Structure formats: structure tokens, C-alpha cells
Amino acid sequence: MTGIKELREFVLRPIRTSDCALLFLATAYVAYLTLRAFLIPATIDESFSILYYVPKDIWAILTYDYPEPSANNHILNTLTIKFLTGIFGSNLLSARLGNLLAGALFAGAGVWLVRRLFSHPITRVAGLFVWLANPYLAEFFSIGRGYGMSIGLMAFSICHAFRFFEKQTGKAFLLSLMSAWLAVAASFTLLNFYCCLSAVFFLFLWQNARRNWRWWLAFFSSHLLLLGLTYLPVIRMLGNKEFEKFGVTGFFEDTVRSSIRHFFYGKGLLGAHTVEVASILLSIFLGAAAIIFLVRWATNHFRWTPNLLLNALLPGTVAVNLAMTLLTDAAWLPARSCLFFYPLLVISFYATGQWLVGTAARRYLRPLLLAMALASAIIPIRAFNLSQSREWWFDRDSFVILDYLKNLYIQEARTEPISFDSYWLFSLSLKFHIQSNNGRYAKYVQPEMIWLETPKPTDNYEFFYGETKNFHQFSDRYEMVWVLEPGQRALFRRKQNPGG
């Protein structure tokens, strides 16, 4: 009831200008996510999850009990889509609503944090700008994958952990643990965050609540349930060598530099030097944040406070990731898998900046930190779009291809679905939209998509959508009728008189 009481007090009290600005930013962010969710075609990975994993029974989804266990099955996300599909049918709403709600949760957590940490209106607005500034992260709140869902739940967990260190209530403790647990269920990479949070909770309980058996019971029960959730999937993915498919170079190249490249969305502010400069600055900040945390923690006699929790999350989670990767010889996390580091980076920026402006240098640091925060708005503004995702850019034309075939069917008054296939990389997105039960395309285009590199001599597809670099392999039978991206993708139509 405490949360309801706080919400009622917030709604009934006079609304300040700064609160309106925060509400406007958060609402605009969620509106942007919603537009993307319904305007951008399904991507290959989410289509694969929907077509392959969602139809399976719940036990198979939970335990990865199927051939070739893959990390593409983000358990909580798959179960959410399965549940929503039962209500709304198979469509973009069912595929993406769970992550949209996580995006709203993420925005709400940002508003809560800046209001909790900062008193000055401009500082609050600047802080929220930084929280929402990563355009690459925003994409995953509009896509039916587990990454966005896990990050929204992680943010929710952090808010309740902060509240727990303030009030030391069992409710906040349980909500933080449960949210972190669900974040792992949405994406196993959140084990890094869960282990860091778990270590902080353990130290706090050991210092302050050794005899509180209820808290210890909740703590260890969460860990046992998590072990039960992850054991079979991890064992089966290890057998399938699923953890050896990505980063093999090192933490700095695979995790740090790839994250920076995706953050700037290919639109670097410093040209060719953007990634190098940002990598150096980020490394310096991470080292400084870790030192500041350790110094502050030692100064406080290794006792925990809400702000020390925020200081600990980034260096602690990075340390967990380094240790887990080195000890298990797993692959380093690429950009999409390590997106959860971004909110932790922002939180560290909040906590470190708040501490710095309390020093003698605050006169000079406050305007610098505010300028850096407000400048973060430049990045998303330059990267905003309602047409494609950066990770799966090649799926951006699924709608226009299907609309072309649909319009042709109508113009020519056909009665049979158009025979069509595509290069395998594009086929899953097309197949999802053709087979989804919203009825937009199934009447006009044949519903089955066979995985192909190029049309075989024995194939008789009227249309083929593929890469232009492979056109020479079937140019004797097909002609190019529409170039969607010069030098990349085009739609081909079978010649009426092949070879003639």
C-alpha cells in the first residue's frame, strides 16, 4: 500500500514545472518506442523465436528441451509472447507488447531515480536525458527479444534495492530480488547483475540482519530457484557450444568498443576518432568510479548506504563479468548482450557526479556535468528513425516487399497467392508477416518460405527477393524489377521466356 499512497500523494500535490518536463520526456520516449514497435517489420531473431519457440509447450521453453538449444530462447520473453498470442493472436502486438511495457518501466525508473537523487530541476531533466539517451538500447524496447525486458526489470530491481537500503523493509528487499530474478529469466546475461546485487545484499545482511531468518530464507530461496531455472538450459547450451559463437577477442574490443560503436549509431561526433576517444574516456571513468566507490566504502567503515549501492553496481557487475568469462572460458559479450551495462553506467555517473559536486571543486564541476548530460540528447536525436533497427537493418523492407506483391495481386485481379521466396536471411521476417493472423498478406502471397541462397534451376517462384551480389547465379531465369538498396537487396521476377 505504500507505493499506492506515494502515487496518490504525487498525483494530488501541485505539479511543478520540473515534474512536467520529466513526464513529457518519459512520455515522448514511450511514444517513440510504441511507434517503432508497430512501424518496423519483425526482425529475423524475433521471428525465429515466435515461429520456432512460442509454439512449444511450456516445459520445453523452460528447459530448452528441443534440438539445437539456442540462446535465442529468452525464456520470460518467449512465455510472454506465448501468453499474448493466446489473447491477441500472432502479430506485432503480441510479439512486442512485453518489451514495450518494459520500456515504460525503464522510463519510469529513470524518473524515480532522478527525483530521488537530485533536487535541482535542471539537474533532474539533464539526468533523465542521459538515462534515455542510448538509441541502440531504445531499439530493444520495441523488439520482441528478451534484452529490453531484462533491462526494464533490472532498473525496477535497482529502484527497490535503493529503497531497501533507505527503509530496510522486507517488501523492498523481496521486490528487488524478484525483479532481478525475472531479469535473468528474460536474458541469462543478467546473471552478471544478479551476482553483483546478490553480493551486496549478502554483505548487508551479514552486517545488519544475521538473525533475521525471513530475509535469509528469501535470499537463498531466490538463488535456489534461479539455479533451477538456469541449470538445464545452460547445460544444454554448453553441449551445443552456444557460448562460443560471439566475442573471442577480449573485453575491451568485444564489449567496450562494440558498445560504443552501437551507441553512436554510426554517427560519430569526432569522425574516425570517436570510438577511440570514447573508449579511453569510458575506461578512465570506470577506473575512477571503482576507486571512488572503494574509498567511499572504506571511509564509511564498509557499511552500506543507498548511494554506495549505486556506486557499487557498475564496477561490481563489470568485475563479475570479467571473472565469469575468464573462469569459464566463455565468449565476451557483444553489444546487444551487454546493453544492461548502460543503465549501470548512467547510475554510476549519477552517484559519482553527486559526490563530486559535494567537493570543493563543485563550482567548476556542476556546469561541466550538466553540459555533458544535456549534450547526450544530441546522440538520440541524430539516430531517431521509424524505419529500421541497427542490428537487423536488412529486415527493414519486409512490409514494402509484401505490399508490392499484394498490390500486384489486386491490380491483376488474381485468384491464387503469388509464388514467392527469398534469400534465407530475409525469409523469417517475411514468413512471420505472411503467416500472422491479422490477414494482411496470407491471401496474396504463398505462406511457406523455404530457406534458399538463390533460386535453383528447378524452382518456379514467380518472385524472389535476394541480394544483388548473387544475381549473376540466376540472371538467365530472372530479371531485376525493383532495387531496394543499391548494391544490396532487390526484388527479382521470373522471365516469361527464360533464356530467350
Side-chain angles (χ1 to χ4, degrees):
M1 298 299 292
T2 304
I4 296 175
K5 181 181 178 181
E6 286 185 349
L7 178 62
R8 183 169 62 248
E9 291 174 353
F10 176 74
V11 172
L12 294 178
R13 74 184 180 189
I15 300 177
R16 293 182 292 184
T17 303
S18 62
D19 289 334
C20 290
L22 296 177
L23 182 61
F24 173 79
L25 284 175
T27 303
Y29 184 76
V30 175
Y32 171 67
L33 301 180
T34 304
L35 288 173
R36 286 183 60 86
F38 291 99
L39 293 178
I40 294 177
T43 64
I44 181 174
D45 279 9
E46 60 184 322
S47 298
F48 182 77
S49 295
I50 295 166
L51 295 171
Y52 184 70
Y53 297 126
V54 169
K56 296 184 182 300
D57 61 68
I58 293 175
W59 178 253
I61 294 171
L62 286 170
T63 63
Y64 284 37
D65 186 17
Y66 42 78
E68 298 184 8
S70 166
N72 269 332
N73 175 20
H74 297 158
I75 292 174
L76 184 61
N77 179 64
T78 304
L79 291 175
T80 300
I81 296 174
K82 188 177 185 72
F83 172 75
L84 293 173
T85 300
I87 300 174
F88 303 113
S90 180
N91 48 49
L92 287 177
L93 174 64
S94 299
R96 293 173 170 175
L97 180 59
N99 280 275
L100 267 179
L101 295 175
L105 189 63
F106 177 77
V111 172
W112 190 90
L113 283 168
V114 297
R115 293 186 71 253
R116 206 72 173 183
L117 294 172
F118 309 120
S119 57
H120 196 284
I122 295 179
T123 307
R124 288 179 172 180
V125 172
L128 190 59
F129 265 127
V130 182
W131 185 257
L132 304 177
N134 191 332
Y136 183 59
L137 171 59
E139 293 192 353
F140 289 87
F141 292 125
S142 303
I143 290 175
R145 306 290 289 125
Y147 305 111
M149 189 176 290
S150 67
I151 292 169
L153 288 164
M154 181 187 74
F156 191 70
S157 174
I158 292 169
C159 290
H160 282 285
F162 185 91
R163 189 166 183 80
F164 170 69
F165 282 98
E166 280 185 324
K167 306 291 185 180
Q168 297 185 25
T169 63
K171 178 183 177 182
F173 181 65
L174 283 173
L175 284 173
S176 182
L177 270 178
M178 289 170 56
S179 302
W181 191 96
L182 289 171
V184 178
S187 173
F188 284 171
T189 56
L190 267 291
L191 276 168
N192 294 278
F193 165 74
Y194 184 93
C195 289
C196 174
L197 183 68
S198 172
V200 174
F201 277 156
F202 179 85
L203 291 172
F204 180 87
L205 294 178
W206 185 258
Q207 292 170 344
N208 300 279
R210 294 189 193 181
R211 298 181 181 179
N212 192 326
W213 65 269
R214 291 183 179 85
W215 286 4
W216 284 110
L217 177 63
F219 180 80
F220 286 114
S221 296
S222 174
H223 287 62
L224 289 173
L225 287 172
L226 189 64
L227 178 63
L229 172 75
T230 58
Y231 179 74
L232 286 176
V234 169
I235 291 298
R236 286 170 173 160
M237 283 192 289
L238 283 171
N240 196 42
K241 298 183 178 180
E242 190 67 13
F243 300 114
E244 302 175 13
K245 295 182 178 180
F246 297 105
V248 294
T249 305
F251 177 79
F252 189 76
E253 180 62 35
D254 293 319
T255 299
V256 176
R257 289 172 63 87
S258 69
S259 297
I260 291 171
R261 280 193 293 269
H262 284 74
F263 172 77
F264 284 104
Y265 220 83
K267 303 177 184 293
L269 301 177
L270 302 174
H273 303 292
T274 299
V275 175
E276 286 72 16
V277 172
S279 298
I280 294 170
L281 293 176
L282 182 57
S283 300
I284 293 172
F285 176 78
L286 178 58
I291 293 170
I292 289 171
F293 160 66
L294 291 172
V295 170
R296 293 189 66 193
W297 193 34
T299 303
N300 202 46
H301 306 291
F302 300 102
R303 312 294 291 187
W304 291 95
T305 66
N307 280 19
L308 278 174
L309 164 73
L310 301 186
N311 274 124
L313 289 176
L314 177 65
T317 305
V318 169
V320 168
N321 177 246
L322 290 170
M324 289 176 62
T325 306
L326 293 172
L327 290 174
T328 61
D329 199 28
W332 298 101
L333 296 177
R336 84 172 83 155
S337 296
C338 64
L339 274 168
F340 66 91
F341 280 126
Y342 181 77
L344 303 181
L345 174 64
V346 175
I347 286 171
S348 183
F349 180 73
Y350 289 166
T352 304
Q354 189 180 55
W355 177 77
L356 286 173
V357 296
T359 65
R362 63 179 177 271
R363 180 179 177 182
Y364 307 100
L365 287 170
R366 187 187 296 274
L368 174 63
L369 293 171
L370 283 174
M372 289 173 59
L374 291 172
S376 66
I378 297 173
I379 304 301
I381 288 173
R382 298 175 77 217
F384 277 161
N385 75 86
L386 299 175
S387 59
Q388 70 175 59
S389 68
R390 176 171 173 80
E391 193 78 9
W392 299 278
W393 76 96
F394 48 82
D395 282 321
R396 69 185 181 197
D397 292 319
S398 296
F399 285 147
V400 296
I401 286 291
L402 294 174
D403 283 335
Y404 177 96
L405 298 176
K406 173 183 175 180
N407 292 334
L408 182 68
Y409 178 102
I410 295 171
Q411 290 169 8
E412 296 182 355
R414 299 194 181 199
T415 58
E416 296 294 329
I418 293 174
S419 176
F420 169 69
D421 210 333
S422 75
Y423 175 53
W424 65 268
L425 189 64
F426 315 141
S427 65
L428 284 173
S429 175
L430 293 162
K431 184 176 181 178
F432 167 76
H433 290 296
I434 293 171
Q435 294 188 355
S436 62
N437 68 355
N438 56 13
R440 290 188 61 195
Y441 301 114
K443 176 181 176 182
Y444 310 105
V445 183
Q446 68 174 22
E448 293 299 326
M449 303 284 293
I450 299 173
W451 280 37
L452 295 173
E453 289 281 344
T454 60
K456 300 175 183 177
T458 55
D459 291 334
N460 197 33
Y461 300 111
E462 182 179 357
F463 286 91
F464 183 80
Y465 174 47
E467 295 185 313
T468 55
K469 67 180 182 181
N470 296 325
F471 182 43
H472 67 280
Q473 298 180 29
F474 53 96
S475 59
D476 59 323
R477 291 165 284 130
Y478 285 81
E479 58 186 345
M480 193 179 300
V481 294
W482 188 12
V483 177
L484 287 104
E485 185 175 2
Q488 296 292 326
R489 304 180 310 283
L491 182 66
F492 309 96
R493 188 172 190 175
R494 190 171 181 83
K495 297 177 180 178
Q496 292 186 350
N497 298 305

